[in-house]
Amino acid sequence: MLRSLVGSEMCIRDRTFNMFLRLGYIFLRRKSWPDAKAVFLRACELFRQSSYAWLGIGISCTRMGDYKEAEEALTEANIFDPLNADTWGYLALMCLHDNGRVIQANQALREMFKAGVEQVELLEEIADELARLGKSEMAETCYRKLIEMFNGGRVRNSLTERGSVHLKLAKILHAEGRLAEATEEYQEAHRFAVSESERDKIKTILETLSSA
């Protein structure tokens, strides 16, 4: 009888925990960061060893700009699952937003690549932030990784547009004077552009490069 009651309580706890996790990630998709954080904290109360719950808290705090708490949560997530690429990715993004901590971000980014990148939107966001901070070499590495993922057919149902990735990489190469490489990327950007106006802009750049 007692064993049956304990088993029943554990089953209820597991169902409640899974419900909190699902609800938390729904709030994340809706960008309801405070609600997501609150729900993930409830999940952690039920199962403190859940890397997914800690990751959810870390994502929520990162989006709200609470980088100290975000780092603590993401570190906890990492302890319970050191092979989760998303955790490493959000650690990298958090470090970049937190006063441009590039060295730590680079370390996290390397671990993200080792673990196997899956979230192309996250990797693109990291690349864009690196480019904004003037870290062209690191941004180039990320953009090339994204293109590799497109080439390998690993990008499905993503908001990331292949043409925009080629265009961002082309602009970095162009700024560095690597004109031959930039031309190749502009050509790919033109090929995958999603609008006629975008194709026209890229065509103008290519004509300027060819006449230089």
Side-chain angles (χ1 to χ4, degrees):
M1 180 69 174
L2 181 59
R3 183 177 298 176
S4 176
L5 286 173
V6 171
S8 178
E9 288 178 0
M10 290 181 64
C11 184
I12 292 171
R13 188 197 70 167
D14 289 346
R15 285 203 302 267
T16 304
F17 169 75
N18 289 329
M19 180 192 71
F20 282 144
L21 275 190
R22 288 195 298 270
L23 182 58
Y25 281 99
I26 288 172
F27 281 135
L28 285 184
R29 287 195 294 272
R30 293 178 178 175
K31 300 184 179 180
S32 300
W33 315 128
D35 292 330
K37 178 184 176 183
V39 171
F40 284 124
L41 282 170
R42 293 289 302 277
C44 275
E45 290 173 4
L46 292 172
F47 187 30
R48 194 185 180 285
Q49 290 78 26
S50 170
S51 62
Y52 292 110
W54 283 111
L55 173 58
I57 296 170
I59 294 171
S60 304
C61 291
T62 297
R63 297 307 185 189
M64 291 190 292
D66 187 351
Y67 301 125
K68 183 176 185 297
E69 197 167 340
E71 187 165 12
E72 291 174 357
L74 291 169
T75 299
E76 288 291 326
N78 222 341
I79 290 171
F80 296 120
D81 184 3
L83 300 179
N84 189 321
D86 290 349
T87 301
W88 288 112
Y90 277 103
L91 272 168
L93 185 64
M94 181 275 301
C95 288
L96 293 174
H97 284 315
D98 186 20
N99 297 316
R101 293 159 51 193
V102 177
I103 294 176
Q104 296 96 323
N106 191 32
Q107 292 170 343
L109 195 58
R110 285 201 298 268
E111 294 301 323
M112 183 188 190
F113 288 158
K114 287 180 186 177
V117 184
E118 294 182 0
Q119 273 206 56
V120 291
E121 291 93 347
L122 175 57
L123 182 55
E124 184 180 26
E125 188 176 358
I126 293 169
D128 292 347
E129 186 63 16
L130 286 166
R132 188 187 69 80
L133 293 170
K135 303 302 176 182
S136 300
E137 184 176 348
M138 292 172 65
E140 178 184 345
T141 298
C142 292
Y143 289 133
R144 290 195 183 280
K145 182 65 175 180
L146 282 165
I147 292 169
E148 177 186 315
M149 292 172 72
F150 275 108
N151 289 338
R154 293 165 55 193
V155 180
R156 296 182 179 86
N157 302 320
S158 170
L159 297 176
T160 296
E161 296 174 356
R162 179 168 183 166
S164 70
V165 175
H166 283 288
L167 183 58
K168 291 170 184 177
L169 177 56
K171 289 178 178 179
I172 288 177
L173 299 171
H174 195 168
E176 293 182 346
R178 295 157 63 183
L179 302 186
E181 292 176 82
T183 297
E184 291 181 8
E185 294 304 326
Y186 279 127
Q187 289 170 341
E188 289 297 293
H190 183 271
R191 176 186 171 195
F192 291 104
V194 295
S195 69
E196 194 63 39
S197 61
E198 190 67 37
R199 278 191 289 271
D200 289 342
K201 290 177 184 177
I202 298 170
K203 183 179 178 182
T204 301
I205 296 173
L206 284 168
E207 289 171 348
T208 302
L209 283 172
S210 64
S211 62

